[in-house]
Each structure stands twice: as C-alpha cells, then as structure tokens.
C-alpha cells in the first residue's frame, strides 16, 4: 500500500521525484535522512511493483546483492538489503542458504519494503504535467490530486515493454510480452509455444515452459533469437570494470559515435544469459530427449530474424523468420502462443510537454550533464535530472542496477551543493594521461 499523503499543507519541495522504481527509490532512500532537502516522490501505481509479471519462480539477479539501493554509496544507510534482512529477522537464514545469486523475488520484496518505510513516497498519485514558472523561479507540477512546486525534479519513470512492429498490433491472450508472462502463460499445456528473444528474459520463459510436467507441459516449445547462439553474460572481472563510476564518467566524455560503438560491442556484458540458466536449460533438454524420449518438445533456432507474424491457416499464429546466415532462407513456425522477450525501451515522458523547446536533446534522449541534469534554457540552480533514460550518454550501466546508488549519490550531492568522496578508479587506464598528471608531478 502507498502512503496516503505527505504532510498536508506542504506544497513546495527542494526535490520532487516522478516515478518510484529502483532508481528514484534509491535517491529517496539517500535523501531520507536529509531534513534540509524536503523531498517527495510520486508514482501513479497504487503500490510498488518491479517486473511483477515476470517473477518466474527460481529466477535470480544477475548482479551482486551489494548493488542494492544504497550500499555502494552509503554503507551505513538503513535502507540497505542487509538492513532489510535484519529487520525481517532472517539475516542468518540468508547466510546459511548460501545463494549463489539473490532470488529476484526476494530483491523485489526488499524494494517494496524500502518504499513502505519511506514516508516521502506516495503511490496512487500520477504526475500529469511539469512546467516552469519564471516568475516564481520554480517548477510547477500538476498531479491528478493537487498542484505542487519544486526547485528540482528527478525523473525516474523507468521503461516500458517493447514489441517490434510485426507483433505490436496483435497482442492479446495468446500473444504477449514476457512482462505479462506469469498471468498470460498459465494455460500452455499441450500447445505449441514460440518464444522470441535470446536474452535472459527469453531464456527464463523458455526454461519455465520446458520444466513443466504432466498436463501443463506444452506440446512443443520453439526458441527463436537473432543472435548467432544462446550467448552467456560476460561477468568476468575486467569486464565488470565497465560498471564502475570511473568508466561511466569516461564514457560520458567520448564522442557520440564512439559511445554507440561501445554500447553495441559490449551488449553481452549486461544482456547475456546467466550461465546457470543456460546449464539448466541444456540439462532439461537432455532429460527430455534422451531420458524421457520426448524428442519433439524443444526446437532451438538462433540466427533467425522474425519478420512477420500472422494468423495461421488452421488457426493460431504463423511466425515467419529468415535465417540471418543464409540468403533467401525463410522458415515458418506454427504457434498457439507467442511470447515476445524483446526487451524494454524508456517510458514516455509526456508530462514534460509544457517544457518542449526548452530542453536539449541528443537523439531521442534528453541531453544531460555530468550529474545527470538536463541541459536547458532555465536558471542554472533549477534542474531536471533523468535516471535510467540516457544509456546513449552514460553507457550500458545506466538502466542497470550496478550504478544505481552511485548515480543517486551524484544527484543528491548536486542537490545539496557538495561533492562526496568517490571510490578509487578502475585498475584500467581508460583514457590517455597528460604528462602533467598530478600523480607524476614532483
């Protein structure tokens, strides 16, 4: 449940947050102990949610438990994952369980716990419009309940499920995005299912489908991916240096074309499949095919690009794909159910319409400075910050949990007019150093 209201009568804030996902929840947690920074965070949802439709049993995080809301920026903060475990009385049980990775549902419950503990967070109140009153020198925020003003606005509206045009107009009970998987994939027994998408979400849906038993087991599950194979996430030590603050700042200073190239070439550092998931899929296929003799259950088709989905000649769906490695090669898949595991895109920010023309853009993104503040034509001490919406400018870590707490700390410091201590830079020298580098000066 969300909080009913925030201190009746208060209508002006130093910081007003739009959206309460992990990004703004992190900032709200860091600001909770700062009475000198009056803040309010609003979300139109009635209560906290985080990928609730795809919390498939057994799925886990792909990042460390220390990459929670606050720990990497403020280890003593009472909104940490460890504080959550301690408050629930199960910190020893968690240690004894020896999880290799944190269960995703547990982390989701931790986030919800943090949102309930923070009286500066209000659910069930959507932001309709954000403008700026030059006379007042403040942002004007109209919600579906009241009018507010703020010196700074922080946007953390997150992402929305994305389906390519060939499937976008066909969504319904038998064709859906993996974001709706838990509710939509209940009745699959004896049916032909096609999963489209070769990332972690597609792998988890595929594994769940082939792990069912009895009358709940589909007749056939086909897994289609544009990638040349079902590729693992690169979680090696030096690769993870891409997810350090020093690299995020280095990345920000690069030319746009170079940033685009790095994001493309390093995609598997964030969007590959966990090796444990791949291993379980392979073992499950082995048992079906060689132990149980169910040879026709699984069909694996990497290196294919779906270009059309239409109603099948005998009902259901016909999925058409071309083999990316073979010219003029087209394959057709009959399906009763189609699952799109095709990722997410930044959510629309229509509430910024009154500021159209005053905000700078870089491509489809709002252009931000080194502290995630949007560049605009208004007063320098009045800012709009963007969280999770500038991957092209800040790198693959931007929508990832890895730098969540650091980015929030960067924004909080800007709000407070201070600069907190940074952790040591990477072992890797990302950029060339001038001869007068202070480390080599006498």
């Amino acid at each position: 449940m969300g909080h009913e209201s925030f201190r009746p009568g208060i209508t002006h804030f130093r910081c007003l947050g739009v959206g309460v996902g992990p990004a703004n929840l992190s900032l709200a947690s860091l600001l909770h102990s700062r009475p000198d920074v009056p803040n309010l965070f609003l979300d139109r949802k009635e209560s906290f949610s985080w990928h609730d439709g795809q919390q498939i049993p057994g799925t886990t995080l792909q990042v460390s438990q220390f990459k929670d809301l606050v720990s990497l920026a403020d280890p003593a903060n009472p909104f940490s994952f460890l504080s959550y475990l301690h408050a629930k009385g199960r910190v020893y049980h968690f240690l004894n369980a020896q999880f290799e990775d944190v269960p995703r549902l547990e982390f989701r419950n931790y986030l919800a716990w943090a949102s309930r503990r923070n009286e500066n967070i209000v659910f069930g109140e959507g932001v309709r419009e954000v403008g700026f009153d030059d006379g007042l020198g403040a942002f004007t925020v109209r919600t579906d309940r009241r009018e507010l003003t703020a010196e700074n606005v922080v946007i953390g509206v997150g992402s929305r499920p994305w389906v390519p045009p060939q499937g976008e107009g066909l969504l319904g009970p038998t064709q859906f995005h993996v974001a709706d998987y838990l509710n939509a994939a209940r009745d699959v027994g004896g049916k032909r299912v096609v999963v489209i998408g070769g990332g972690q979400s597609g792998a988890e849906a595929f594994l769940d489908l082939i792990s069912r038993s009895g009358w709940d087991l589909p007749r056939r599950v086909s897994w289609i991916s544009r990638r040349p194979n079902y590729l693992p996430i690169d979680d090696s030590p030096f690769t993870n240096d891409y997810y350090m603050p020093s690299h995020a700042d280095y990345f920000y200073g690069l030319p746009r074309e170079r940033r685009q190239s790095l994001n493309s070439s390093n995609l598997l550092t964030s969007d590959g499949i966990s090796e444990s998931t791949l291993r379980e899929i392979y073992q499950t296929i082995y048992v079906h095919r060689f132990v149980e003799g169910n040879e026709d259950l699984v069909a694996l088709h990497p290196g294919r690009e779906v270009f059309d989905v239409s109603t099948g000649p005998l009902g259901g769906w016909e999925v058409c794909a071309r083999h990316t490695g073979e010219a003029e090669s087209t394959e057709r898949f009959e399906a009763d159910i189609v699952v799109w595991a095709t990722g997410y895109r930044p959510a629309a920010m229509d509430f910024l319409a009154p500021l159209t023309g005053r905000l700078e853009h870089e491509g489809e993104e709002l252009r931000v400075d080194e502290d995630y503040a949007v560049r605009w034509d208004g007063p320098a001490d009045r800012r709009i910050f963007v969280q999770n919406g500038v991957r092209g400018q800040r790198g693959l870590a931007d929508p990832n949990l890895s730098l969540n707490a650091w980015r929030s700390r960067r924004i909080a410091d800007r709000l407070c007019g201070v600069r907190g201590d940074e952790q040591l830079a990477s072992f890797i020298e990302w950029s060339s150093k001038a001869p007068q580098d202070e480390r080599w000066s006498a």
Side-chain angles (χ1 to χ4, degrees):
M1 294 295 293
H3 301 109
E4 290 295 327
S5 62
F6 175 86
R7 288 184 248 164
I10 297 179
T11 60
H12 181 76
F13 301 90
R14 173 84 69 84
C15 172
L16 191 146
V18 182
V20 183
N24 265 355
L25 183 54
S26 170
L27 179 59
S29 300
L30 291 175
L31 292 177
H32 186 262
S33 61
R34 296 297 303 262
D36 57 320
V37 185
N39 61 91
L40 176 68
F41 290 79
L42 303 174
D43 197 299
R44 64 184 178 183
K45 299 189 300 290
E46 292 301 319
S47 60
F48 182 83
S49 65
W50 182 61
H51 299 303
D52 286 8
Q54 60 183 104
Q55 294 286 353
I56 300 171
T59 56
T60 59
L61 288 184
Q62 290 184 301
V63 298
S64 165
Q65 66 199 50
F66 294 115
K67 295 182 176 181
D68 60 14
L69 295 172
V70 295
S71 290
L72 296 186
D74 181 10
N77 192 290
F79 288 92
S80 69
F81 182 68
L82 184 59
S83 294
Y84 158 76
L85 292 175
H86 189 271
K88 293 293 183 180
R90 56 175 181 257
V91 65
Y92 288 100
H93 305 81
F94 183 84
L95 290 174
N96 292 344
Q98 298 182 9
F99 291 112
E100 289 188 12
D101 300 292
V102 179
R104 191 182 298 158
L105 185 57
E106 173 82 319
F107 199 77
R108 180 257 176 236
N109 291 341
Y110 151 65
L111 297 175
W113 167 85
S115 74
R116 290 191 299 269
R117 293 189 69 210
N118 194 330
E119 68 278 4
N120 298 338
I121 292 174
V122 175
F123 291 104
E125 182 171 0
V127 171
R128 302 283 186 171
E129 191 175 84
V130 175
F132 190 79
D133 188 318
D134 289 285
L136 287 176
F139 291 100
T140 56
V141 181
R142 182 173 64 85
T143 78
D144 45 24
R145 290 170 49 184
R146 50 185 164 169
E147 302 277 346
L148 303 167
T149 58
E151 296 165 35
N152 302 275
V153 173
V154 185
I155 300 171
V157 293
S159 56
R160 57 180 175 81
W162 182 80
V163 171
Q166 52 267 42
E168 191 174 22
L170 304 173
L171 300 183
T174 60
Q175 188 168 169
F176 49 86
H177 191 273
V178 72
D180 301 316
Y181 182 84
L182 281 186
N183 288 326
R186 295 179 184 273
D187 182 20
V188 299
K191 296 181 178 179
R192 301 160 300 175
V193 184
V194 170
V195 177
I196 303 171
Q200 180 70 14
S201 295
E204 290 171 354
F206 180 77
L207 177 58
D208 177 72
L209 290 164
I210 66 174
S211 298
R212 301 190 184 194
S213 60
W215 296 105
D216 291 329
L217 183 68
R219 172 152 56 102
R220 187 171 180 80
V221 186
S222 302
W223 188 11
I224 302 174
S225 171
R226 286 189 303 177
R227 297 175 184 177
N229 203 343
Y230 303 103
L231 301 173
I233 190 170
D234 186 347
D235 194 31
S236 55
F238 287 105
T239 295
N240 278 324
D241 274 34
Y242 289 136
Y243 297 85
M244 290 181 64
S246 57
H247 186 269
D249 284 336
Y250 162 73
F251 184 96
Y252 174 77
L254 295 173
R256 183 180 180 187
E257 295 75 17
R258 177 60 176 153
R259 287 189 258 121
Q260 291 173 335
S261 175
L262 282 173
N263 277 347
S264 177
S265 61
N266 293 307
L267 183 63
L268 290 178
T269 66
S270 68
D271 197 36
I273 303 170
S274 297
E275 287 197 26
S276 59
T277 304
L278 289 171
R279 188 176 302 110
E280 191 172 357
I281 287 173
Y282 204 99
Q283 292 172 351
T284 303
I285 294 173
Y286 181 99
V287 171
H288 276 299
R289 182 162 297 185
F290 299 130
V291 178
E292 299 177 352
N294 191 355
E295 298 182 3
D296 195 44
L297 174 67
V298 171
L300 300 175
H301 298 276
R304 273 77 166 182
E305 182 174 19
V306 173
F307 65 87
D308 184 62
V309 180
S310 58
T311 303
L314 300 177
W317 303 103
E318 183 177 77
V319 178
C320 298
R322 61 174 61 91
H323 198 300
T324 56
E326 299 177 9
E328 306 299 328
S329 176
T330 298
E331 296 169 290
R332 289 175 170 80
F333 303 86
E334 295 180 352
D336 302 300
I337 296 172
V338 176
V339 182
W340 292 94
T342 44
Y344 294 80
R345 297 290 187 274
M349 294 181 280
D350 298 337
F351 50 84
L352 291 178
L355 296 173
T356 299
R358 303 193 66 175
L359 309 176
E360 294 185 24
H361 288 78
E362 182 170 307
E364 296 182 356
E365 297 178 354
L366 291 168
R367 188 190 302 275
V368 298
D369 65 16
E370 65 277 6
D371 295 328
Y372 296 86
V374 179
R375 298 186 183 278
W376 74 310
D377 67 359
D381 61 345
R382 298 294 184 263
R383 296 161 294 254
I384 296 177
F385 296 91
V386 177
Q387 302 222 62
N388 278 15
V390 289
R391 189 175 83 158
Q393 297 168 76
R394 300 298 301 200
L396 294 169
D398 190 62
N400 187 287
L401 291 173
S402 292
L403 293 181
N404 201 22
W406 168 79
R407 181 181 56 208
S408 293
R409 175 67 178 272
R410 178 71 68 90
I411 294 172
D413 285 351
R414 182 77 170 268
L415 292 172
C416 299
V418 300
R419 174 65 80 196
D421 294 334
E422 293 280 8
Q423 294 295 298
L424 296 175
S426 167
F427 292 141
I428 300 171
E429 297 286 0
W430 294 112
S431 61
S432 59
K433 300 294 183 181
Q436 65 270 23
D437 189 316
E438 64 179 6
R439 293 175 306 164
W440 306 110
S441 60

